[in-house]
Structure formats: C-alpha cells, structure tokens
Amino acid sequence: VQSDSVAVQSDSVAVRSVGMAFWGLEVKPGKSMPLDLTRRLVIKQAALVVSTPAKKTEPCVLSVSVGDDAQKYVVCRLHEAKIEQCPMELPFCPDDQAKVHLTGAHPVHLTGFLELDDEDELEELDDMDEEEDEEELDEPSLAADSKPAKPKAPAAAKVAPAAKSAAKPAPAAKPAPAAKPAPA
C-alpha cells in the first residue's frame, strides 16, 4: 500500500538582532597594524590626515593582508589636495587575522562599525542600568518631612472634555419613509 501523503518540513528561521558600534583606527605611515578583532568589522571609509602639507606630494597607499599570506592587496590610494578620502565596504571577521599597511607621508584614519549581537547589547544595557543605580544612590535622600511626588497618570488615560463628547456614539439614523408607488 502506497501513501500519497506529503511530508511538510517546517523550516525554522532564527532571527538574530544585530547592532552596531562605531570603530576607528589611525594607521601611521610605514607601519603595519593588525586589526585584532573579536567580532565582525566593516570598514566604511579611509581619510587622509594632513596636519602639515608635504613638500613633495606622493600618494598614500592603504593595503590589506589576510592571515599568514604575505600578499598585500591595495584598497585605496589617497593623494593630498586631490583625493583625501575614500568610501569603501571592507568586511573582516576575527578569523581573517587582517593587517592594514600604509605607505606615504601622512597617517590615514579608518572608520567603520563593529557588529554587536544580542549578548553584547544586553551587557551594554546592564552596564547602563548599573550606572543609573549608582547615580540614584549618590543623590541626596529626601528629607523626612517631605512627601514624594505623586506619579502622573499616563497621557493616554486623560481625556479632554471636548474629546469626551466627541467619543459618544452618534444617534442611530431613522429609517427613510417607504416610497409610495406612482399612479398607473
């Protein structure tokens, strides 16, 4: 006996809320810097930092290497007074073990964001709650003869007098008189 029933597989989807936190790094000329990540990073912009103009302007070249690979990949060339910033979309994760390298006369600021997961956001909220609790403890207590203020009623619970009358239902419409047949 063969059954024509169809098995339905339910695909469950895990929704992960992801927040973001600002990230920035100054890369000095002639230096290689590891990113040392603990979570996913997206670099969004490189900006040339020109504190004093160079006598001879040469491009600053920003490159990236990943892991143990010695290969450097150029991601942007910045040139004083010509191209001083470069938008980008460079994602990195901790496993990449990425390093940034810079040649040229000026430092470069890299900016972007770190992705935070629910756990990070909960820890941040806990830290904020603890700070608020500490602030409340630092405030002077009310004098013994003073009374605490009464809590205000929520705005939604208050109804203005005009709104009360507007909220009454309209009277039911009277049925129209039946139409008389026309004489034949």
Side-chain angles (χ1 to χ4, degrees), residues 158-169:
K158 294 181 181 179
V159 179
K164 284 182 184 176
S165 63
K168 290 181 184 175

Side-chain angles (χ1 to χ4, degrees), residues 1-7:
V1 177
Q2 192 173 19
S3 173
D4 289 336
S5 65
V6 177

Side-chain angles (χ1 to χ4, degrees), residues 75-118:
V75 292
C76 72
R77 291 172 52 96
L78 301 171
H79 205 283
E80 183 182 335
K82 293 181 182 176
I83 301 172
E84 293 192 353
Q85 61 185 1
C86 175
M88 56 184 64
E89 186 82 19
L90 289 176
F92 296 101
C93 68
D95 294 339
D96 291 336
Q97 298 176 348
K99 291 180 188 173
V100 290
H101 314 274
L102 182 63
T103 62
H106 300 289
V108 169
H109 283 178
L110 299 177
T111 55
F113 62 88
L114 292 167
E115 287 188 355
L116 303 176
D117 55 18
D118 289 335

